[in-house]
Amino acid sequence: MNSAEPSDSPGPHDPLGLAADAPLLAAWLDWMRQAGSGQLLPMSTPGHKQRYDLVGTVVAGDVPLYGGLDAIKHADRLRAGAEARAAALWGADWCRFSVAGSTHGNQAFCLAMGQPGQEVIITRTLHRSLLLGLVMAGLRPVWVRPEIDPGTGLPGAVAVQTVKDALAAHPDACGVILGDPSYIGTTGDLAGHARAAHEAGVPLIVDQAWAAYLGFHPDLPAHAIADGMVTSAHKTLPAYTQGAVVLARTGRLDRARLERAFDATHTTSPAGSILASIDAARALLARDGERLCGRLLRGLASARKRMREVPGLDVLDGPGVDPAKLVVLLAGTGAHGGLVEADLIDAGMPVEMGDRDTVVPIVTMADDEEQIATFTEALIAAVERHRGQPRRPVATASWTVRPQPVLAPREAFFAPNETVAASSAVGRISAELVAPYPPGVPVLAPGELITAEALAALREVAGYGGRIAYAEDPSLATFQVVA
C-alpha cells in the first residue's frame, strides 16, 4: 500500500472507510458486493454484464451511474447529493462531476459565458480544450500573455495590469479566463484578477486542472474559485482517469445556462465508477487533505534539497510557484530532458513531460516520502548518464508563441479548407489546431497566421522526438489551411 494508515481499514475496496461520507462510493461498493456474490443479473448497459469470461478483467469495476449506482429514474438525486458535498467543501453554490476531464468543464464554461461573436479576455498559454470551447461558443479571444523568465525559459503568471488593460480596451468582453497554476506550477494574483474582472462587471473563470489540492494545507496557495473553476480529480487526487470537478459561484454566471452548457457537452451515460472515485477523492480531501498534503510537501522539500546538491541541477521554486509541483531544470547539467525521460520510462517511472531543458513529474498525495526519494535518485542517475556542456535554457514553442489572429476561431474552424505543403503554408491561415503535447498549449490555432517562426518552433519539438498533437499531419509535412 502507498499509505500505512489506518491499520483497521474496512477492506480493499474502501481501505480508509470513506463511504460513510461519499454516497456515490457507497453505492458503487454495494453494487460490487452484489455482483461479487452473484446476486445481479443486469438487463441494462453496459454490455459486459459484469462478466470477465469474454474480454477479461479490463471491465472490472465498471458500473454505470444510471441503472448501476441507482435506478435510472433516481440516480440524479444520488449524484446531486455527492456534488452538493463538493460544492460545500470548495465554498461554491454549484458543482458538477464530469467523466470527461477538465476539457469538458472548460468548454461548458465557454458555452455559459457570453454570446456568439462576443469577446473574452483569455490567456494564450491555454489548454487546447479552451480554444475548442471558443470555437463551440463562438467567442472571440482577446489574448493576454504571461512574462517569460529568461533564467528558466518558463512562463510566470499573467499580470493583473495586463488583464486590466485588456478589459479597458475591450469593455464589451463577457469575462476573463485564466489558467492558474500554469502547467509548470507558476501562480498569480488571482484575488487581484477577480477584483479587476468584477470591477468590469464580468466573471473570472480559472482552469486549475493541475492543482486540485490547493487550499487544503496552510502552506499551499488558496484554491482558485472566484466565479468558476475547473479542476481535475484524476491529475492530482486519487481518482479515476477522466474525473473532474466543475465549480461555480453563480452571482455573475447564469446558473440555468451553466447547467445546460454542462449537460450539452457531457455524456448521457456517465461511468458510475469514475463518479464514485471523484466522490471518494473529495471525501479523502475533506478528512485527510491537510495531513496528506503535508506529507507531499515534506517529500518534495527533501527532493528539491537533494537535487540542488547535484552540480548544475535545479528546480523551479520560490514565490509564485506551487510548492506541491516539481519542475526539474536541466540546462545547467547539459543533459537533454528527452533522454532523461527515456531512462525514467525504462526504469518504470514515466513522467508527465520531458523537453530539452525541463522534466516535469506529477507527484501527488498518493506518493509517500520514500517513493519520492526513490524517484529523485533515479532522476539524478539519469541526469548523470547524460551530463554534457551546460547551456542557457531556451523557452519552448508553447510558451513563446505570439499569435497573429486573422479570423475568429469558429469562423476558421468551419471555413472551407485545403491541404498544402509546409513550404506553402507560411502566410496562410491555419484551419487546424497544432500543439506540442504535453503541455497541450497550441502553437497554431484555427484562424491564426502560419508564420515561419511557428513552423520552426514546431519542427524543433518534432526534431527531438516530441509529440505533435491534433495536427492532421503530425510529421508537419503538410498543413490544413483556410481555402
Side-chain angles (χ1 to χ4, degrees):
M1 291 177 62
N2 287 344
S3 175
E5 58 278 327
S7 59
D8 57 343
S9 58
H13 287 310
D14 185 20
L16 299 183
L18 299 172
D21 184 36
L24 290 172
L25 175 62
W28 181 87
L29 290 168
D30 187 55
W31 174 275
M32 292 299 292
R33 178 188 58 77
Q34 293 181 63
S37 62
Q39 298 177 41
L40 290 175
L41 183 63
M43 289 296 156
S44 58
T45 61
H48 55 70
K49 303 297 184 76
Q50 307 299 317
R51 292 181 58 165
Y52 304 155
D53 59 337
L54 299 174
V55 298
T57 56
V58 69
V59 298
D62 177 35
V63 179
L65 169 63
Y66 298 111
L69 299 189
D70 204 346
I72 292 175
K73 297 179 178 64
H74 306 306
D76 281 332
R77 290 184 298 194
L78 179 71
R79 171 191 55 77
E83 291 167 341
R85 294 176 188 231
L89 181 63
W90 271 279
D93 60 54
W94 181 91
C95 174
R96 291 294 303 269
F97 290 168
S98 174
V99 303
S102 287
T103 290
H104 170 222
N106 283 331
Q107 293 173 352
F109 274 127
C110 288
L111 286 169
M113 287 184 71
Q115 303 298 323
Q118 200 167 8
E119 292 180 319
V120 60
I121 313 301
I122 184 168
T123 177
R124 187 53 178 84
T125 50
L126 78 172
H127 188 266
R128 53 91 66 171
S129 62
L130 279 164
L131 213 153
L132 271 297
L134 301 184
V135 169
M136 294 164 65
L139 300 178
R140 302 179 68 93
V142 175
W143 299 124
V144 289
R145 293 171 44 82
E147 294 297 318
I148 304 298
D149 178 3
T152 63
L154 297 174
V158 176
V160 173
Q161 190 60 49
T162 300
V163 169
K164 284 184 175 180
D165 292 344
L167 286 166
H170 300 270
D172 293 328
C174 64
V176 178
I177 303 177
L178 299 174
D180 197 287
S182 69
Y183 180 82
I184 48 87
T186 49
T187 61
D189 179 7
L190 286 176
H193 284 299
R195 285 193 297 272
H198 296 169
E199 287 169 4
V202 298
L204 170 64
I205 306 300
V206 179
D207 177 357
Q208 192 185 276
W210 289 100
Y213 47 74
L214 290 191
F216 292 96
H217 189 279
D219 293 334
L220 290 171
H223 62 66
I225 185 168
D227 301 291
M229 182 181 85
V230 181
T231 195
S232 286
H234 75 95
K235 284 185 169 74
T236 54
L237 298 181
Y240 212 109
T241 297
Q242 296 178 206
V245 183
V246 189
L247 299 137
R249 294 172 180 160
T250 55
R252 293 176 180 83
L253 290 165
D254 184 327
R255 184 187 184 102
R257 182 169 163 192
L258 181 55
E259 190 79 22
R260 293 197 303 272
F262 184 96
D263 284 337
T265 46
H266 201 212
T267 178
T268 56
S269 304
S273 47
I274 300 178
L275 295 174
S277 76
I278 300 170
D279 196 20
R282 188 272 317 155
L284 179 69
L285 199 57
R287 193 186 74 183
D288 298 330
E290 183 169 342
R291 174 179 62 82
L292 292 173
C293 286
R295 183 181 70 176
L296 171 62
L297 292 172
R298 290 192 302 272
L300 288 174
S302 296
R304 292 188 183 95
K305 181 177 182 296
R306 173 70 181 98
M307 289 182 189
R308 282 178 164 153
E309 294 170 353
V310 177
L313 194 60
D314 204 356
V315 294
L316 196 63
D317 202 4
V321 176
D322 172 7
K325 186 82 170 186
L326 183 60
V327 176
V328 185
L329 309 176
L330 300 174
T333 71
H336 194 294
L339 298 176
V340 173
E341 178 188 24
D343 280 11
L344 291 168
I345 291 171
D346 288 343
M349 300 180 185
V351 294
E352 172 68 22
M353 185 181 80
D355 60 23
R356 192 190 80 150
D357 295 332
T358 313
V359 171
V360 182
I362 301 301
V363 188
T364 77
M365 62 177 63
D367 295 300
D368 61 31
E369 292 168 83
E370 181 180 353
Q371 290 169 311
I372 296 172
T374 298
F375 169 79
T376 299
E377 295 304 323
L379 183 142
I380 290 171
V383 168
E384 295 295 357
R385 281 192 292 273
H386 300 290
R387 182 177 286 278
Q389 188 67 29
R391 60 179 180 266
R392 290 184 60 82
V394 177
T396 66
S398 296
W399 314 132
T400 58
V401 59
R402 291 190 174 275
Q404 297 185 33
V406 181
L407 301 176
R410 182 181 178 90
E411 185 180 354
F413 185 90
F414 288 107
N417 66 86
E418 60 183 342
T419 301
V420 300
S423 58
S424 303
V426 173
R428 300 293 298 272
I429 300 169
S430 180
E432 61 183 337
L433 187 153
V434 185
Y437 206 109
V441 174
V443 169
L444 287 174
E448 293 178 355
L449 197 69
I450 300 175
T451 64
E453 291 78 12
L455 184 55
L458 288 167
R459 283 174 169 165
E460 182 182 5
V461 173
Y464 64 71
R467 174 190 171 201
I468 302 298
Y470 314 119
E472 178 70 21
D473 178 5
S475 75
L476 304 178
T478 62
F479 285 83
Q480 299 287 307
V481 299
V482 173

